[in-house]
Amino acid sequence: MSRTWIVIPMYNEGSVVGRVIEGLHEHFPFVVCVDDGSSDDSVRVAGSAGAVVVKHPVNLGQGAALQTGISYAAQDPELDCVITFDADGQHRVQDARRMADRIRSGEVDVVLGSRFLDKRTKLSTPKRIVLRTAAIQSRMSTGMDLTDAHNGLRAFAAVAARRLNLQQNRMAHASELIHQVAAMGVRWEEQPVEIVYTDYSKAKGQSLLNSVNILADLFFR
């Protein structure tokens, strides 16, 4: 039986990750959470919710957590698809399901989520400008006609997932991933997805912080 693995990078997400895993399990029974040195009860909550938990003893960054999770999933000989999914509740399971269906059907090898292909995602003007700038830069450097280069909801066929080798541990991994997909020469498409900016994620300052990190990645690497 072929199967899809969901990869969730996790850092101090104990208050929300259990609900995220439970929402995924209705459609995706194989979930691996990579705990990136959390100091809260994330490991216990994720394990109790039914996920496999792989631990980093210290915080290495989201890129490192994603690569660890992808490498774990790639060991499954029956793997058909890997989907990267955030721990904080910003991604929608229905979008992940559609991505998995496209991979499993053989339509494409990589599906990249985009906030700009429909109007579901509500963005502040500064964040919209940053993301549009990042997409233009990615198009110029890779030749891929992207509308959203820093979206964490992505799906990879097994053959593509096993070729990923992220070396950038922190936010620069997003650009590195796009460059690696371009170099593979695989079939890829974007898909409209909704990113739900929750009170929880806003309270953690993720929206603003990610915008700053994206700009730093673009102009100082």
Side-chain angles (χ1 to χ4, degrees):
M1 183 180 74
S2 62
R3 50 182 165 245
T4 293
W5 277 88
I6 304 292
V7 173
I8 301 179
M10 181 174 69
Y11 178 65
N12 290 339
E13 306 284 4
S15 63
V16 293
V17 72
R19 292 191 297 275
V20 171
I21 295 166
E22 289 165 3
L24 284 161
H25 267 166
E26 182 178 352
H27 303 285
F28 299 105
F30 302 100
V31 177
V32 56
C33 292
V34 180
D35 183 68
D36 195 31
S38 293
S39 57
D40 69 352
D41 61 350
S42 293
V43 171
R44 180 190 62 79
V45 171
S48 296
V52 174
V53 180
V54 179
K55 295 178 64 175
H56 287 172
V58 296
N59 180 256
L60 297 176
Q62 191 178 67
L66 283 172
Q67 186 58 55
T68 295
I70 292 168
S71 296
Y72 181 92
Q75 297 177 70
D76 184 345
E78 298 175 344
L79 177 71
D80 61 2
C81 179
V82 171
I83 296 177
T84 62
F85 203 92
D86 283 357
D88 59 10
Q90 292 192 142
H91 293 159
R92 295 179 65 89
V93 176
Q94 66 191 48
D95 290 329
R97 288 181 64 193
R98 185 177 171 214
M99 287 181 165
D101 288 344
R102 297 179 71 185
I103 295 291
R104 290 168 174 164
S105 72
E107 176 188 346
V108 287
D109 302 304
V110 177
V111 183
L112 304 170
S114 174
R115 286 160 277 204
F116 298 106
L117 294 178
D118 63 22
K119 297 182 179 180
R120 287 180 293 165
T121 301
K122 309 305 179 185
L123 291 166
S124 67
T125 298
K127 188 168 184 66
R128 184 177 295 273
I129 291 171
V130 168
L131 292 170
R132 289 291 196 186
T133 301
I136 291 169
Q137 191 273 344
S138 288
R139 287 200 295 272
M140 293 174 62
S141 61
T142 67
M144 295 172 65
D145 190 18
L146 292 171
T147 62
D148 191 353
H150 285 74
N151 196 306
L153 184 54
R154 322 171 184 93
F156 305 90
V159 64
R162 291 185 172 117
R163 293 175 66 184
L164 288 172
N165 183 25
L166 301 177
Q167 301 295 313
Q168 297 292 332
N169 285 352
R170 300 197 179 272
M171 290 307 296
H173 79 272
S175 295
E176 182 186 25
L177 186 150
I178 295 300
H179 279 78
Q180 290 190 14
V181 170
M184 290 179 196
V186 294
R187 297 166 301 158
W188 67 273
E189 286 189 11
E190 285 189 301
Q191 175 183 301
V193 300
E194 180 181 11
I195 305 301
V196 182
Y197 294 106
T198 63
D199 290 340
Y200 171 81
S201 65
K202 291 176 182 177
K204 291 185 72 174
Q206 290 179 4
S207 180
L208 176 60
L209 178 60
N210 285 347
S211 297
V212 172
N213 285 332
I214 288 168
L215 285 175
D217 176 31
L218 288 175
F219 297 111
F220 297 104
R221 61 185 174 138

